[in-house]
Amino acid sequence: MFDFGPFFDNFDEILNGFWGTVKLAAVSAVLSLLIGTVLASFRVAPVPLLRVLGTAYVNVVRNTPLTLVLLMCSLGLNDVLALTFSDNPGTTYYWWAVLGLSGYTGAFVCESLRAGINTVPLGQAEAARSIGLTFTQSLRIIILPQAFRAVIAPLGSVFIAMIKNTTVASAASYAEAAAAMKSLLDLPSFTSGALPLFIGVAIGFMILTLPTGFFFGWLHKRMAVAR
Amino acid sequence: MTDSEGGPDLTKDGPEDTVPAPASDAGRPLVVVEHVDKHFGELHVLKDINLTVNSGEVVVVIGPSGGGKSTLCRSINRLEPIDGGKILVDGKELPQEGKELAKLRADVGMVFQSFNLFAHKTILENVTLGPIKVRKQGKQESEKHAMELLDRVGIANQAHKYPAQLSGGQQQRAAIARSLAMRPKVMLFDEPTSALDPEMVNEVLDVMTGLAREGMTMIVVTHEMGFARRAAQKVVFMADGQIVEENTPDEFFTNARTDRAKDFLSKILTH
C-alpha cells in the first residue's frame, strides 16, 4: 500500500508539474498584488464611480468559485471567443490561468489591504494633506506603505491560499502539479501507490507554502511600523 | 528637558531663509473668515464666525472644550469643510477638493495635537517630503534646509531616527519643522501641547514663541495662558460655536469684557 516506487519512478513528471505550479504562482503573486493595490485605491478614492467599480469587482469576483473563473478564462474567453495570447496552446492557457488566478486573488489582496488602510491613523492622512500632498500622493507615499506593512502577515495567508489554488488551473487545461498527479493516476499501468503519490504531492506543496508563510511572518515583524 | 542635547536654542540666529522674514507688508489681512457656519449633524459647531488675521499677527484661540476652536482651526485649511460663509487665505478663497486645494494647503502650515509625523519615515524624511514632492525642490537643497530647521528646533541629532523613537516634545518640534519646511504664509496650531507630558510643554512653547518673535503669522488653539500672554497680539475667546470676545491678551486676562469669558477665566485661573 505504501509503495513509493511509482512516485519516484515518475519523479521527473511530478517535478515538471511543480515547475508549472511555481511559474503560475510567482507571476500571479506579482500581478495580484498590482490588481489588489489598484482595487484598494479605487475603493478608498474620493471619486464615487471608482469606489463603485472597485466594490462591484471585489464582490463579484470574490463570490465566484475559482473553478468557474478559470473555466471562463480558458473555455469561455480563449476557446469560444478566441481571445488567445498565442498559437501555442500551452502558452495561451498559461496566461489565461495567470490572469484568472490573479484577478481572483487580487480581490482578496484588495480586502486585506483595505483592512490595512484602516489601521493607519486618520492623522497620517490629515498631515499628508496639510503639507499639500494630493490624494494620490498621500495614498502612494503615506497611506499604502503603512497599510502594506500592517497586513504583510495576512497577505502571506492570501498567497498560501493562492499557491494551493493553482491546482484548480488543471481544470482549465493548464499543466501544473495536480494535473501531473492526475495524469499519472489515470495511466492504465498505474495500479498501486496512489497514497504515496498523494503524500508526495502534498509534501511538494508544503515545500512551497511553508517557507511562504515563514517569510511573510518574518517580513511582517521586520517591517512593522512603530507608533 | 528629557534629551541631553537640550531644547531649542533660541538665542542662536537661524539662517536667513529658515523662516520667512517679517513681511514688509505686515498688517495686510492674511486669513479672513467671513460668516462661517458648520454643523456636525444636529450640532451647530461654528455659528457665523468672523475673524481677520493680519500678516505677522499671532492670534490665540481659547475657550472651553467643544466650543469649536479646533474645528475653526481645521477649517482654515479645509481639513473640515464648512457649510456656509467663506474663508480666504492671502486673498484667495479656499478651493474645493483637488489640486488647487493641495496647493493652498502647502502655504498653510498645520501642527496637530497628536503630532502626526509620518510613522514609516525618519524625521529628516518627514521634513523633506513636502519640499521634494510638493514644491519639487531638489533633494540636497531640501535636506540642507531641513537640517537647518531641525537644528533650530533643537533636534538635529535626531534626524535619522523614526518618530516613535522620539519623546513627545521632540516629535512636536519635528512636526513644527516639517511645517516650516514648506515656508508657509501662516501656521495653524491645533492644541500643540495638549498631548504632551508637562515637562515637555515648554520646549515646544519656546519654539513657538521664537517663531512669533520672528514675525510668523500664527493661529494657535491652546490652553496655555502663559503663551497667550507672552506671544499673542490678539486673544479670541470661543464658546458654544461663537466668538464671544476678541481682545488683546492684557485686556482679556485682566479685564475681560464678557461674563462668559470671565467665568471661563475664573475656572482656569483659580487653581
Side-chain angles (χ1 to χ4, degrees):
Chain A
M1 205 160 73
F2 287 100
D3 174 14
F4 275 86
F7 175 74
F8 286 109
D9 290 344
N10 298 295
F11 197 62
D12 281 356
E13 276 152 70
I14 292 168
L15 222 52
N16 231 338
F18 269 109
W19 174 234
T21 300
V22 169
K23 274 197 298 187
L24 177 56
V27 177
S28 297
V30 175
L31 204 58
S32 59
L33 259 186
L34 275 173
I35 293 173
T37 309
V38 171
L39 284 174
S41 309
F42 276 21
R43 294 204 69 174
V44 298
V47 184
L49 178 67
L50 293 182
R51 282 204 301 273
V52 168
L53 280 178
T55 309
Y57 180 94
V58 167
N59 281 321
V60 168
V61 173
R62 196 171 55 152
N63 293 300
T64 308
L66 178 59
T67 317
L68 238 82
V69 173
L70 288 175
L71 283 178
M72 190 103 77
C73 288
S74 63
L75 299 182
L77 299 174
N78 188 76
D79 296 358
V80 178
L81 295 181
L83 297 167
T84 57
F85 284 95
S86 138
D87 289 336
N88 177 352
T91 314
T92 192
Y93 284 131
Y94 168 72
W95 283 109
W96 274 119
V98 166
L99 274 193
L101 189 59
S102 311
Y104 179 81
T105 311
F108 292 88
V109 170
C110 163
E111 290 307 277
S112 286
L113 204 49
R114 217 157 57 91
I117 290 174
N118 288 335
T119 70
V120 181
L122 189 61
Q124 296 283 306
E126 289 188 343
R129 283 150 72 193
S130 81
I131 59 168
L133 295 181
T134 61
F135 173 79
T136 325
Q137 280 178 320
S138 84
L139 194 64
R140 192 167 49 85
I141 305 168
I142 306 300
I143 309 300
L144 282 178
Q146 294 186 56
F148 262 113
R149 289 164 197 232
V151 296
I152 291 173
L155 275 181
S157 299
V158 170
F159 286 132
I160 287 174
M162 191 268 290
I163 291 173
K164 295 187 295 176
N165 280 342
T166 54
T167 52
V168 179
S170 63
S173 317
Y174 177 66
E176 45 65 68
M181 184 183 79
K182 182 90 182 357
S183 67
L184 281 180
L185 287 171
D186 287 346
L187 284 180
S189 58
F190 193 88
T191 48
S192 72
L195 276 181
L197 186 58
F198 289 141
I199 294 169
V201 172
I203 290 173
F205 271 99
M206 279 185 200
I207 290 172
L208 295 179
T209 52
L210 280 177
T212 305
F214 292 141
F215 172 72
F216 277 89
W218 170 80
L219 200 65
H220 186 74
K221 280 210 189 89
R222 217 192 100 101
M223 301 291 284
V225 179
R227 297 204 190 277
Chain B
M1 209 61 50
T2 52
D3 42 337
S4 53
E5 75 281 1
D9 184 358
L10 295 168
T11 54
K12 183 163 44 187
D13 274 327
E16 282 300 307
D17 65 337
T18 40
V19 164
S24 53
D25 52 349
R28 156 183 71 105
L30 200 53
V31 177
V32 179
V33 178
E34 277 175 10
H35 303 293
V36 163
D37 271 289
K38 161 129 190 117
H39 298 78
F40 281 130
E42 290 288 290
L43 202 63
H44 200 170
V45 281
L46 295 179
K47 298 175 188 164
D48 191 31
I49 301 290
N50 291 283
L51 178 69
T52 300
V53 179
N54 293 324
S55 181
E57 200 172 30
V58 177
V59 174
V60 163
V61 184
I62 63 173
S65 297
K69 311 181 298 286
S70 283
T71 309
L72 174 63
C73 187
R74 289 163 57 81
S75 63
I76 291 174
N77 69 352
R78 212 173 181 280
L79 284 178
E80 299 286 354
I82 53 174
D83 303 337
K86 59 179 176 179
I87 296 175
L88 295 105
V89 175
D90 204 10
K92 280 197 278 293
E93 191 169 346
L94 284 188
Q96 292 295 306
E97 208 68 43
K99 284 228 161 61
E100 277 305 301
L101 180 61
K103 213 186 222 169
L104 182 128
R105 278 186 180 135
D107 289 337
V108 179
M110 176 103 189
V111 175
F112 300 87
Q113 182 176 348
S114 47
F115 330 134
N116 295 346
L117 290 170
F118 304 130
H120 63 308
K121 298 206 171 283
T122 64
I123 298 302
L124 184 63
E125 287 166 345
N126 264 276
V127 180
T128 55
L129 186 74
I132 292 174
K133 299 289 180 186
V134 178
R135 297 274 192 241
K136 311 291 179 197
Q137 208 174 282
K139 188 167 181 239
Q140 267 193 329
E141 187 192 349
S142 304
E143 282 184 354
K144 184 169 166 280
H145 186 213
M147 286 312 294
E148 287 165 6
L149 289 169
L150 289 174
D151 190 40
R152 259 179 54 104
V153 299
I155 51 170
N157 55 349
Q158 313 284 336
H160 298 287
K161 289 189 182 167
Y162 285 89
Q165 296 171 291
L166 269 60
S167 73
Q170 290 171 329
Q171 286 191 53
Q172 194 61 301
R173 285 186 274 152
I176 293 174
R178 175 176 68 182
S179 285
L180 287 176
M182 300 301 290
R183 302 175 208 265
K185 292 173 181 162
V186 53
M187 294 265 291
L188 310 172
F189 293 81
D190 185 8
E191 303 206 24
T193 57
S194 298
L196 294 175
D197 290 336
E199 78 269 24
M200 295 172 188
V201 168
N202 278 333
E203 62 192 67
V204 171
L205 290 180
D206 285 348
V207 170
M208 290 167 59
T209 310
L211 277 179
R213 284 217 193 97
E214 285 162 33
M216 174 60 79
T217 312
M218 294 160 66
I219 299 173
V220 186
V221 174
T222 186
H223 296 293
E224 298 295 334
M225 303 302 154
F227 173 80
R229 285 192 171 179
R230 200 163 57 236
Q233 277 93 53
K234 194 195 278 179
V235 170
V236 170
F237 177 71
M238 274 188 88
D240 306 321
Q242 286 168 311
I243 292 183
V244 179
E245 181 165 345
E246 236 185 279
N247 215 331
T248 62
D250 273 350
E251 274 290 302
F252 182 79
F253 287 111
T254 53
N255 195 12
R257 282 195 299 265
T258 56
D259 289 341
R260 189 77 179 80
K262 278 181 192 154
D263 179 52
F264 175 75
L265 287 171
S266 73
K267 277 178 187 148
I268 57 161
L269 296 178
T270 45
H271 52 83

